[in-house]
Amino acid sequence: MPVDAAVERYREQFRREEIGGSYRGGLHLAFTSLVSLAVVAFCIASLDQVSPLEWLTLPSIFMYANLVEYLGHRYPMHHPVKGLKVLFFRHTKQHHRFFTDKEMTFADSRDFKAVLFPPEMIVFFLGGFGVPMWFILYYTVSANVAWLALAMALAYFLNYEWLHFAYHCDPRSRIGRIPGLQALRTLHLHHHDPRLMTHFNFNITYPIGDWIFRTLYDSKSQQN
Ligand SMILES: [Zn+2]
Ligand SMILES: [Zn+2]
């Protein structure tokens, strides 16, 4: 399928300016996956006789993460906010120019760079938010709640990365044909339509925030 000329020009520029010669997309994906899974496994191994009330940490953090994903994407990633302009630049100015609803797929594994969070940002988020959250919960609530919260946060993050990655794979590929993926991918495809991107489908994973705030755009229920 021929790539749109404007998108192709931008892709060439991004590849030239942003993707170093030594970049390996497969290694990037492996780093994100292994670091996240290792932290989740360590957290699970640290649990000790979790009470029924403590298990509620999982759905609570899941909902919290879904709203952070929604609000972070709706506001700082699509509007320049003081102190967070890097998010706007990386998302609106780079990701949305590299992929549009007409051109959604990677050309090859080097293009993973246009989707995945950079490894240093994962380390920054883990150190800057995950560890402080763990300390606060550990000393104010309980050790189990701290471990469960950190496990859920990392599992959610990895789920976000894997789903977003899968949406930008060729829909006919083995990953693109995973059952259930198509419906979520279609929501993200609409979000990549430049006319819709600042209005609809801000959840990358499950459209709970979009449902709550009435910003869900579903082609089956709305006219184009
Ligand atoms: Zn995307
Ligand atoms: Zn967006």
Side-chain angles (χ1 to χ4, degrees), residues 92 143 206:
T92 300
Y206 314 102

Side-chain angles (χ1 to χ4, degrees), residues 91 95 99 104 115 164 168 188 192 204:
H91 187 74
H95 183 69
F99 300 104
M104 275 290 276
V115 168
H164 195 200
H168 290 290
H188 192 59
H192 271 279
I204 305 285

Side-chain angles (χ1 to χ4, degrees), residues 34-107:
L34 291 177
V35 168
S36 304
L37 290 173
V39 175
V40 171
F42 187 81
C43 292
I44 291 172
S46 304
L47 294 173
D48 181 30
Q49 300 188 346
V50 182
S51 73
L53 205 58
E54 286 175 329
W55 281 118
L56 289 180
T57 307
L58 294 179
S60 309
I61 296 292
F62 177 89
M63 273 309 300
Y64 175 71
N66 192 273
L67 291 179
V68 168
E69 169 193 310
Y70 177 87
L71 294 171
H73 187 187
R74 181 168 180 179
Y75 298 107
M77 287 165 91
H78 275 286
H79 303 276
V81 172
K82 222 172 159 212
L84 297 172
K85 284 200 176 123
V86 62
L87 295 178
F88 174 75
F89 180 75
R90 278 183 47 83
H91 187 74
T92 300
K93 298 290 189 192
Q94 292 186 328
H95 183 69
H96 274 276
R97 285 179 77 194
F98 199 99
F99 300 104
T100 68
D101 57 323
K102 305 279 184 297
E103 308 292 351
M104 275 290 276
T105 57
F106 301 118

Side-chain angles (χ1 to χ4, degrees), residues 47 50-51 53-58 61 133-134 137-138 141-151:
L47 294 173
V50 182
S51 73
L53 205 58
E54 286 175 329
W55 281 118
L56 289 180
T57 307
L58 294 179
I61 296 292
M133 176 187 75
W134 181 89
L137 292 174
Y138 189 91
V141 189
S142 76
N144 281 335
V145 166
W147 290 120
L148 284 169
L150 192 58

